[in-house]
Amino acid sequence: MSDTRVSKVMTANRLSDGAVVYLTLSHTWSDRFADAHASDVPSELAGFEATTLEAVRGRIVVGAYLFAVSVGSDGSLEPLGQRERIRSAGPTVGTDLPASVEVA
């Protein structure tokens, strides 16, 4: 029997800079996948969706959705889909550009 279980993490893009962000345990947004909070509890997933809807209405994030992750026995998270593996690893292009650019 496996020591991993499948849960879900909420992700979106931050509207101010387009960065991939993840919903944390404290229901804030982080650009670090390691800060993501995963759950398989329906009531907690509903809380993820409520927090996200508020953030979308407040124009903080866009394009939000839940995705599946495996949770290791040590609590580590691993995205199950290729798209989420790539998104959690960071940009694949433009890595030589500054993190933020001033717009005139």
Side-chain angles (χ1 to χ4, degrees):
M1 187 159 215
S2 175
D3 287 343
T4 61
R5 65 181 212 281
V6 175
S7 294
K8 292 186 177 178
V9 165
M10 181 65 78
T11 187
N13 288 89
R14 190 169 40 217
L15 197 53
S16 63
D17 61 3
V20 175
V21 291
Y22 303 94
L23 192 62
T24 69
L25 178 61
S26 61
H27 284 221
T28 59
W29 296 95
S30 172
D31 58 4
R32 294 175 12 106
F33 179 69
D35 295 337
H37 179 61
S39 179
D40 58 357
V41 178
S43 62
E44 194 168 21
L45 293 172
F48 288 2
E49 292 173 343
T51 297
T52 300
L53 182 58
E54 185 177 318
V56 169
R57 286 182 178 153
R59 298 182 180 177
I60 297 168
V61 299
V62 294
Y65 59 93
L66 291 166
F67 67 94
V69 296
S70 65
V71 182
S73 59
D74 63 352
S76 63
L77 303 177
E78 181 69 34
L80 294 179
Q82 184 65 20
R83 173 188 166 124
E84 299 313 325
R85 283 189 198 103
I86 293 169
R87 282 172 53 96
S88 67
T92 57
V93 296
T95 56
D96 57 335
L97 298 174
S100 64
V101 177
E102 266 189 49
V103 178

